[in-house]
Amino acid sequence: MRTLLFSFFLLSLISISCESGKKDKKLNSRVGFSQKMADFDCGAFCDPPSVTYQLPADSSCVNSSQNVMNCFAWKNFLALNWLASDQRGVPDTAAVAADYGMPGDYKPTVWESYLSIDDVFAAKPPAQWNLRSKNGYMKYINEINKFTDINASLPKPKLRAMLGGNVDEIMQAKGAWLTDQSGNIVWYEIRMNTIESDFVRDNKLYNYGSLSAFAAQNQGVWFPMESIEIKAAWRIIPEDQLESLKNFYKISMAMVPEIKGFDKNNKPIYGKYLQKYLGLVGLHIIRKTNQSPQFTWMTFEHVNNAPTDGQIDPSVKYCFYDPKSKDKPNQSPVPGKDSLNKPVQVVRIADNAISPEIQQLNKQIQNMIKASNPKSVWQYYQLVNVQWPENPVKDKDNNKKAPLMTGGITPKNIANVTMETYIQEKQCMDCHKNASVGDQKYPTDYSFIFLKVKPGN
């Protein structure tokens, strides 16, 4: 029976595309839904993944094997994508697993209710740090370049306060923007949980002088345990495709600016802001725990983003790959030369192919989500990989100047095709070990968020 169920699921998964879909139905429990522990290779004494709002604890299960960490990553994904309450970072415990990922539900998830880096590093800190606006919640796109200031007029302060969130860039860490096969730009945002944002607020690290003094005094900036950072990638969902695509994507609404082009310095030229629907295509989750002081680096994608090189499925209509295109894959556009609307041809490099073990786990989790809610959009997402320190280094024992120790981070092949499109041969720690502040290169705990803090802030 189980074999038949998996076969049916695989057929339904193959049949979906970037532009089309179909419907289904079912029911389930109030708090969570899981398969038997024996179904998952998550460790003999570790709880299996379940559809629940409960974030997994850092336990003896963590850092014991790659399979265990893969399960840990999925448990984080499932909990952080639960519907949020009115309090930032707190799940809506009245929500039920049978409604998990219901199509057309645009309410924010737990991680979407976190403060964005623009909220945290604003010139004036938010008046209500831990509560979302009672007037509504909508993402607000206000920048095009990573860690740069906006050069366009913003709406009135009251309107901006009402909108509540920021999707703040189109530029990747290396390379330029990413355009999907519909000719629409992919947008990005970075958020942090309340443990991390409270740490920034309490120590006034949004102020350049306070940040510099704090880093010097403590020989770096070291986040508290259970700090979480999120980076998300969103594609624009055309309104004429909303009815079909809402069944297969986590969709949120945002105010998105028109991009008229680039100036002579390759800075964006903004037009008016319009409300758009955004579909989630990529999600990075990094979490610092006692057993992973170098963070656990978890990355997820929509199942139809792009094929692995040499493994193209002709039945799938990919979002970032066209089998008829003659363009060389994974080539970054050039500002001032290439059109923003020209699709970028993307493949996952063979060295970063999703492992057979993760593929099997993905099928199990997708099947579990579908059993909980057959309509759930979350059944169309997959774990790409999770990176973790085999030999973790405590903060007090780490280097006091960048680069930081890597803690024996493993595995080495990890990249998200929507966020590291043009540097898939790199891995997280190649860059993040160098995160620092000031001329003294005081480390900032593998995080680049403090690049938002400029002299004069």
Side-chain angles (χ1 to χ4, degrees):
M1 181 68 180
R2 182 172 299 161
T3 301
L4 290 174
L5 186 60
F6 276 147
S7 297
F8 175 79
F9 170 74
L10 288 172
L11 287 172
S12 66
L13 189 63
I14 290 172
S15 68
I16 71 167
S17 77
C18 189
E19 309 301 339
S20 64
K22 66 178 184 179
K23 300 179 180 178
D24 213 335
K25 59 183 179 179
K26 201 61 178 161
L27 56 108
N28 226 339
S29 64
R30 175 176 179 79
V31 175
F33 180 89
S34 66
Q35 292 179 271
K36 294 179 181 179
M37 186 177 296
D39 289 342
F40 294 100
D41 183 13
C42 296
F45 303 102
C46 302
D47 291 334
S50 62
V51 181
T52 176
Y53 55 77
Q54 295 174 338
L55 197 66
D58 181 31
S59 67
S60 59
C61 295
V62 177
N63 290 20
S64 58
S65 74
Q66 187 64 48
N67 286 347
V68 168
M69 297 306 296
N70 296 339
C71 290
F72 180 73
W74 260 117
K75 287 189 274 189
N76 278 270
F77 180 93
L78 292 163
L80 291 172
N81 282 301
W82 196 268
L83 289 179
S85 68
D86 285 337
Q87 187 172 357
R88 289 192 184 277
V90 177
D92 179 0
T93 57
V96 296
D99 292 332
Y100 184 72
M102 193 63 74
D105 189 346
Y106 306 134
K107 294 190 292 293
T109 61
V110 170
W111 71 264
E112 286 182 284
S113 73
Y114 292 166
L115 285 168
S116 75
I117 58 172
D118 291 290
D119 296 324
V120 174
F121 295 113
K124 183 178 181 181
Q128 291 185 316
W129 197 273
N130 290 322
L131 296 177
R132 296 207 315 275
S133 170
K134 297 293 184 181
N135 298 321
Y137 182 93
M138 186 178 290
K139 295 180 187 299
Y140 190 83
I141 293 170
N142 68 353
E143 292 182 10
I144 190 172
N145 288 314
K146 189 172 185 179
F147 305 135
T148 59
D149 295 329
I150 184 170
N151 62 354
S153 299
L154 293 175
K156 294 178 180 179
K158 288 185 179 179
L159 175 59
R160 186 172 183 185
M162 181 186 75
L163 295 175
N166 298 306
V167 180
D168 66 357
E169 58 178 281
I170 68 165
M171 296 296 193
Q172 298 195 13
K174 178 77 173 179
W177 61 86
L178 175 61
T179 303
D180 67 17
Q181 292 299 314
S182 296
N184 291 312
I185 291 289
V186 171
W187 293 89
Y188 303 94
E189 66 175 328
I190 300 174
R191 294 181 178 274
M192 62 186 78
N193 70 345
T194 52
I195 291 175
E196 186 166 312
S197 59
D198 282 352
F199 172 78
V200 173
R201 177 195 59 181
D202 293 344
N203 293 289
K204 296 182 173 59
L205 302 183
Y206 48 80
N207 175 273
Y208 188 81
S210 298
L211 172 62
S212 298
F214 184 91
Q217 181 179 349
N218 296 278
Q219 293 185 292
V221 178
W222 306 94
F223 290 126
M225 295 301 169
E226 294 303 331
S227 292
I228 295 176
E229 284 183 23
I230 303 285
K231 185 171 184 179
W234 300 88
R235 62 170 295 217
I236 290 177
I237 302 295
E239 289 198 24
D240 62 355
Q241 298 177 29
L242 179 62
E243 282 305 306
S244 61
L245 294 182
K246 74 179 183 182
N247 296 312
F248 301 99
Y249 284 88
K250 160 58 185 174
I251 294 178
S252 293
M253 292 187 290
M255 297 299 290
V256 179
E258 292 179 330
I259 307 170
K260 294 186 174 182
F262 294 84
D263 63 19
K264 63 182 180 180
N265 297 314
N266 288 329
K267 291 186 177 181
I269 301 172
Y270 284 84
K272 62 183 178 180
Y273 288 75
L274 300 171
Q275 179 176 299
K276 299 288 185 180
Y277 293 96
L278 300 181
L280 186 67
V281 291
L283 190 69
H284 278 332
I285 303 169
I286 69 168
R287 179 178 170 189
K288 182 175 183 175
T289 65
N290 285 317
Q291 295 192 61
S292 288
Q294 279 66 59
F295 290 82
T296 299
W297 305 75
M298 304 162 265
T299 194
F300 294 80
E301 294 178 20
H302 193 273
V303 295
N304 285 339
N305 279 350
T308 299
D309 192 18
Q311 301 178 26
I312 299 163
D313 186 340
S315 69
V316 176
K317 190 172 182 179
Y318 296 102
C319 295
F320 302 102
Y321 177 83
D322 179 2
K324 297 180 181 179
S325 174
K326 302 299 183 183
D327 292 340
K328 188 177 180 180
N330 306 337
Q331 299 300 297
S332 173
V334 178
K337 176 184 176 182
D338 294 315
S339 168
L340 291 166
N341 304 117
K342 184 181 185 298
V344 176
Q345 186 79 337
V346 178
V347 298
R348 191 185 316 282
I349 64 174
D351 286 347
N352 286 345
I354 300 175
S355 72
E357 293 77 15
I358 292 180
Q359 290 184 45
Q360 177 62 24
L361 177 62
N362 287 344
K363 293 173 186 176
Q364 291 177 290
I365 300 292
Q366 291 158 350
N367 187 60
M368 180 187 72
I369 294 170
K370 186 175 181 180
S372 177
N373 176 13
K375 297 181 180 180
S376 178
V377 299
W378 296 117
Q379 66 184 291
Y380 304 114
Y381 289 83
Q382 62 185 353
L383 172 65
V384 176
N385 214 336
V386 52
Q387 196 174 49
W388 52 285
E390 281 190 302
N391 301 297
V393 179
K394 294 181 180 180
D395 292 349
K396 66 181 182 65
D397 298 324
N398 212 326
N399 296 334
K400 304 311 176 186
K401 289 189 178 182
L404 289 173
M405 299 180 189
T406 65
I409 206 82
T410 187
K412 301 301 182 184
N413 58 327
I414 179 171
N416 190 302
V417 299
T418 68
M419 295 187 237
E420 292 100 12
T421 312
Y422 313 114
I423 52 169
Q424 292 185 48
E425 70 283 358
K426 299 290 185 180
Q427 53 102 358
C428 304
M429 204 59 74
D430 286 341
C431 295
H432 285 270
K433 67 183 179 182
N434 296 303
S436 59
V437 62
D439 295 335
Q440 298 299 314
K441 300 196 67 163
Y442 290 119
T444 54
D445 211 358
Y446 307 94
S447 175
F448 288 107
I449 62 171
F450 294 103
L451 292 178
K452 290 289 290 185
V453 186
K454 305 292 184 184
N457 281 23

